[in-house]
Amino acid sequence: MSRLSAIRDALAQSPHNPSLLLLLGHACVEELQLDEATKMFDRVLDIDPDQIEAQLGIARVLLIRGDSSGAAVRVERVLQNEDECPQAHLLMSRILLSEGDRPRALDHFEKAVRIDAAVTDAGLEQELGRSGSDVRKSVASSLLPESNSSDLLPPSDLMGGDMGDDFIDEPFDEWRPETFFTPGDTERTKVNFDSVGGMEELKEEIRIKIIYPLQHPDLYKAYGRKAGGGILIFGPPGCGKTLMLRAVAGEVGCNYFAIGLHEIFDPYFGSSERNLHQIFETARSNSPCVLVFDELDSLAVDRRNVRESPMRNLVNQFLSELDGLRADQSRILVIGATNSPWNLDPAFRRPGRFDQTIFVPPPDRPARVQIIGLLAKDKPIAHLDVEALAKLTKGFTGADLKYVFDRAAELALSEAVHTNRPVPISMDLLNDIAKSYHPATEEWFEGARPHVQQSAQDGLYTDVRKFLSAPRGAKNE
Ligand code: ATP
């Protein structure tokens, strides 16, 4: 039974169920059944005229039909009532881009990411030439204190000041990070290790550090091991680090916190350190748990490069919090991800901190096969040859592959709208897009090269070194 038929059957049992109506509406959009999609969204609006998802669904249909001004009117109406809706800003960005208004499209995209750092739309990001992670970083740096205010700060030891005790006895307000999953949350399981192609070593390392110890406590006790620790993952952009951090939530059975930089940085003196301490306290009182920090390089900066900045105090605080976890045997796994490990303070890789480092390279061919399988799932694609596409896309990251599929879907949709009949995505179309696309990871490897050469003895770069020295044709084979 097709996905559409299955949802239609379920809806027949529960015809006024808004979630099912929305589900069918979205599935119809994917299958280009635009009339039925509109009907479903309208039925939701009959039940609740302010339902945002249904309003945006109708706007999306209008955009696909080529009525961008009709779509814009709908989205503007949503934004009048709910200016903080990231999905509405993303859709408005798409609409404006389709009308050739790139500056305003960019404004709306940035607003979406500022409201919800987790929103992504790889196709849109590619067309705008601006990634969500760029925006998140610029938001974080705009929140950083001016470095000249550092005159007011006490000097602290370059390799290990400890500010943790200042806060230990202070009571904490009830606080939760924006992304916080408890074991019972159903939302968390939507993305898990099956959603990530490749990265087998990393998946197993996470199981060893937090999943197996909770499943087999006696065994771990017998071997004198406990749950928790620190893992640093690094590699070129677009290889799935952020996706992997999210997938951990779906895979582990314990509490999970993902910390956004904006939840830490605060322009008031001492507040960022306090925020960080509060995060670790919350993690402690909810252990066992996983605590993840994406874009770690913005937080764990090398203190040699920021001698005069209040940032050093924050780095010292972070180090002392990690040491605190080790000292009190907390069952907390801390995972950090970065594109530029050379910007991290080396002290973070000392034993007991992020002592396990894992390089996430562009996916090799088997991993690309998996990623292509994931991207093709539930899409109307005719005669997909996964192996051939994987072979053709050597050097592509997961994000690059996603772009190929997103772009192919857009072109097929556009043809479908103009011919007024559903057009499946063809293998030729996927091949053509892939052939004209140039993956950007070479740039990352060129940037990494001097750091790898300067740190000849550093085990951190062993896998990068292997990758760089592999014969050209063999990379990512
Ligand atoms: P950045 O450092 O720029 O944030 P990243 O390494 O964190 O990049 P992601 O943001 O996780 O990469 O990847 C972008 C998108 O590309 C993902 O949301 C996913 O759709 C796709 N993708 C990347 N890698 C994989 C993968 N290994 N498996 C499945 N999808 C992937």
Side-chain angles (χ1 to χ4, degrees):
M1 187 191 290
S2 78
R3 181 161 169 255
L4 278 186
S5 320
I7 308 172
R8 282 187 196 118
D9 281 358
L11 196 58
Q13 306 300 318
S14 176
H16 305 295
N17 180 325
S19 308
L20 282 177
L21 288 165
L22 286 170
L23 198 64
L24 185 53
H26 292 311
C28 286
V29 171
E30 277 174 35
E31 302 287 326
L32 289 181
Q33 311 270 354
L34 299 183
D35 289 340
E36 189 177 356
T38 308
K39 247 185 232 154
M40 294 306 120
F41 295 132
D42 277 338
R43 279 173 61 185
V44 177
L45 293 175
D46 286 343
I47 300 167
D48 175 2
D50 295 327
Q51 219 289 343
I52 288 180
E53 209 179 317
Q55 293 180 9
L56 295 180
I58 290 181
R60 193 161 283 122
V61 171
L62 290 170
L63 181 63
I64 294 169
R65 288 192 198 277
D67 178 5
S68 62
S69 43
V73 169
R74 291 273 178 170
V75 180
E76 265 159 17
R77 208 173 297 153
V78 169
L79 288 172
Q80 266 163 16
N81 295 328
E82 182 53 68
D83 186 44
E84 296 288 295
C85 173
Q87 298 306 338
H89 284 289
L90 271 191
L91 187 53
M92 190 53 112
S93 176
R94 274 207 165 276
I95 293 168
L96 290 165
L97 202 59
S98 78
E99 292 175 342
D101 188 347
R102 194 174 172 281
R104 285 181 60 220
L106 204 51
D107 283 351
H108 279 279
F109 173 69
E110 291 188 354
K111 182 127 198 219
V113 177
R114 279 167 198 271
I115 297 167
D116 178 358
V119 293
T120 54
D121 182 334
L124 183 63
E125 291 175 27
Q126 180 87 23
E127 282 177 53
L128 287 170
R130 185 108 163 92
S131 77
S133 88
D134 291 343
V135 177
R136 287 189 289 276
K137 276 191 182 156
S138 70
V139 172
S141 58
S142 70
L143 291 174
L144 275 176
E146 294 290 330
S147 59
N148 59 10
S149 63
S150 61
D151 299 348
L152 304 170
L153 302 177
S156 57
D157 171 23
L158 187 65
M159 294 311 282
D162 182 347
M163 304 194 47
D165 289 346
D166 296 350
F167 307 120
I168 291 298
D169 296 320
E170 292 189 19
F172 288 92
D173 297 329
E174 188 56 35
W175 177 86
R176 289 286 178 273
E178 284 162 20
T179 308
F180 170 58
F181 291 122
T182 56
D185 289 341
T186 47
E187 184 68 15
R188 66 186 299 162
T189 53
K190 286 186 181 160
V191 183
N192 58 26
F193 283 176
D194 291 340
S195 323
V196 184
M199 300 195 215
E200 298 309 328
E201 183 198 354
L202 177 55
K203 289 175 184 171
E204 187 58 11
E205 200 54 48
I206 291 166
R207 289 188 193 106
I208 288 173
K209 284 198 155 51
I210 197 80
I211 297 177
Y212 300 153
L214 302 181
Q215 288 171 344
H216 310 283
D218 293 341
L219 204 55
Y220 268 66
K221 209 168 167 191
Y223 283 82
R225 302 292 301 154
K226 64 175 186 69
I231 302 178
L232 170 68
I233 61 178
F234 70 97
C239 290
K241 298 182 295 299
T242 304
L243 178 68
M244 186 64 186
L245 293 182
R246 171 64 184 83
V248 172
E251 201 68 24
V252 300
C254 57
N255 289 314
Y256 169 96
F257 304 85
I259 308 301
L261 296 176
H262 62 285
E263 295 179 88
I264 301 169
F265 288 118
D266 190 305
Y268 291 102
F269 173 57
S271 296
S272 302
E273 293 94 301
R274 184 181 298 268
N275 291 344
L276 192 61
H277 183 59
Q278 199 160 35
I279 286 164
F280 276 85
E281 279 299 288
T282 304
R284 262 191 203 91
S285 56
N286 288 282
S287 109
C289 69
V290 177
L291 190 55
V292 311
F293 295 89
D294 203 355
E295 287 148 21
L296 189 69
D297 47 291
S298 300
L299 177 63
V301 292
D302 191 335
R303 286 166 296 176
R304 287 168 300 192
N305 300 332
V306 290
R307 182 178 279 272
E308 303 304 326
S309 158
M311 197 60 202
R312 285 183 60 222
N313 289 345
L314 186 58
V315 173
N316 290 335
Q317 178 70 34
F318 197 5
L319 289 167
S320 96
E321 295 294 350
L322 292 171
D323 291 345
L325 296 188
R326 186 179 43 168
D328 63 16
Q329 305 264 306
S330 303
R331 293 182 303 161
I332 299 177
L333 174 63
V334 187
I335 311 178
T338 177
N339 293 341
S340 46
W342 41 85
N343 289 335
L344 297 189
D345 195 298
F348 281 97
R349 288 175 31 232
R350 299 239 181 94
R353 296 169 181 167
F354 291 104
D355 45 14
Q356 185 83 29
T357 54
I358 296 185
F359 172 51
V360 178
D364 58 11
R365 194 171 343 163
R368 291 199 300 279
V369 166
Q370 281 182 36
I371 297 171
I372 291 169
L374 288 164
L375 291 169
K377 212 162 110 196
D378 299 329
K379 295 230 170 66
I381 303 177
H383 313 299
L384 176 67
D385 185 340
V386 178
E387 290 290 344
L389 192 56
K391 195 168 173 199
L392 181 71
T393 50
K394 193 161 76 173
F396 279 48
T397 65
D400 296 332
L401 291 169
K402 184 168 185 322
Y403 171 76
V404 172
F405 277 83
D406 286 349
R407 186 73 193 134
E410 279 172 4
L411 293 175
L413 273 173
S414 160
E415 192 185 336
V417 170
H418 289 106
T419 56
N420 212 15
R421 64 180 176 82
V423 178
I425 297 169
S426 70
M427 191 58 197
D428 282 347
L429 182 58
L430 290 166
N431 281 341
D432 287 348
I433 297 169
K435 278 182 196 156
S436 62
Y437 185 85
H438 299 288
T441 44
E442 278 298 314
E443 229 173 81
W444 186 89
F445 281 103
E446 283 318 307
R449 193 182 291 278
H451 301 285
V452 173
Q453 283 164 350
Q454 271 162 28
S455 323
Q457 304 305 319
D458 194 336
L460 174 67
Y461 297 122
T462 307
D463 289 335
V464 186
R465 215 169 276 125
K466 276 189 210 148
F467 206 91
L468 282 171
S469 59
R472 222 177 157 68
K475 283 177 192 166
N476 297 95
E477 195 38 62

